Amino acid sequence: KAGVTQTPRYLIKTRGQQVTLSCSPISGHRSVSWYQQTPGQGLQFLFEYFSETQRNKGNFPGRFSGRQFSNSRSEMNVSTLELGDSALYLCASSQGQGAGNEQFFGPGTRLTVL
Amino acid sequence: AQSVAQPEDQVNVAEGNPLTVKCTYSVSGNPYLFWYVQYPNRGLQFLLKYITGDNLVKGSYGFEAEFNKSQTSFHLKKPSALVSDSALYFCAVRAFSGAGSYQLTFGKGTKLSVIP
């Protein structure tokens, strides 16, 4: 099975712009989660989608949003970019929402905000 | 709310020696515990998990972890370290966060360096 794929892998934007990141989960996986990774804050949970519905959201401002499509693919959007949004954004998929389901991560999208 | 602590930012070990990467957790209810590894410029790779049952869990690449409920710990171990094990290791706990969802919370990570 193909793993989790994320596009693009690298992105450079300027402050005030918006960006959309894409994630394709492993075939058959219906749950998609997004994380932000920075050297200072580590890995922080953004949100989780299951069956096209946002099931959980982390402590991020409303500029961060996402959605999931009927084929389980997911996108996240960040509007009005700030310098502090520079990070590695990781997408993870799992078969279900159960606590015991391990998540499988994509390679990430490296976002740099100038 | 759940939390994970990895008390060591960096662990250095000589190749061939046993290694331990420490993790303690705090969670209400039953803990679901995970270890992930991250190589440079890569996403996280799943190593192993504890759900229930035996306290010693075996995972990928010869790694194992010991669950200790009384000490709320889940330390990662390997009997003989390889240079290729050098990477960033994350401990994580998954707990119920409402609306039928279980949120995964990560520790800050421990950088493991295996010295030839």
Side-chain angles (χ1 to χ4, degrees), chain A residues 4 9 11 13 15 17 24 26 32-33 36-37 44-45 55 57 61-62 64-66 74-75 79 90 93 96 102-103:
Chain A
V4 177
R9 291 292 311 276
L11 207 49
K13 293 287 188 178
R15 279 181 299 174
Q17 288 186 310
S24 292
I26 292 172
V32 174
S33 297
Q36 181 196 65
Q37 186 178 20
Q44 294 186 286
F45 170 75
R55 300 298 179 127
K57 183 172 168 54
F64 291 81
S65 62
S74 177
E75 290 181 346
S79 62
L90 292 165
S93 74
E102 61 267 31
Q103 295 185 344

Side-chain angles (χ1 to χ4, degrees), chain A residues 56-93:
Chain A
N56 204 354
K57 183 172 168 54
N59 189 25
F60 278 82
R63 300 185 296 107
F64 291 81
S65 62
R67 59 178 175 169
Q68 186 181 34
F69 302 95
S70 58
N71 61 358
S72 294
R73 192 176 69 83
S74 177
E75 290 181 346
M76 68 163 281
N77 183 277
V78 188
S79 62
T80 319
L81 284 166
E82 300 177 0
L83 296 179
D85 297 334
S86 294
L88 180 66
Y89 290 88
L90 292 165
C91 166
S93 74

Side-chain angles (χ1 to χ4, degrees), chain B:
Chain B
Q2 65 262 32
S3 65
V4 176
Q6 294 181 241
E8 299 155 319
D9 291 337
Q10 177 144 359
V11 170
N12 297 321
V13 63
E15 186 177 22
N17 281 4
L19 70 87
T20 299
V21 183
K22 296 180 180 177
C23 170
T24 58
Y25 65 90
S26 174
V27 65
S28 300
N30 294 323
Y32 298 85
L33 298 158
F34 302 81
W35 275 101
Y36 287 85
V37 60
Q38 186 177 35
Y39 295 98
N41 300 315
R42 303 277 296 274
L44 275 68
Q45 294 180 31
F46 169 75
L47 280 178
L48 50 79
K49 66 181 179 182
Y50 172 82
I51 304 301
T52 186
D54 290 341
N55 290 340
L56 186 63
V57 179
K58 294 188 182 298
S60 306
Y61 313 117
F63 284 94
E64 57 189 29
E66 186 170 10
F67 170 68
N68 187 315
K69 187 174 183 178
S70 63
Q71 297 185 5
T72 61
S73 67
F74 189 55
H75 301 331
L76 182 69
K77 300 181 179 183
K78 188 174 183 181
S80 178
L82 300 173
V83 172
S84 57
D85 293 331
S86 298
L88 189 56
Y89 289 80
F90 290 96
C91 181
V93 64
R94 202 164 189 194
F96 187 69
S97 58
S101 177
Y102 291 85
Q103 183 171 322
L104 193 61
T105 300
F106 287 90
K108 292 289 188 182
T110 298
K111 183 179 179 181
L112 174 67
S113 294
V114 181
I115 304 161

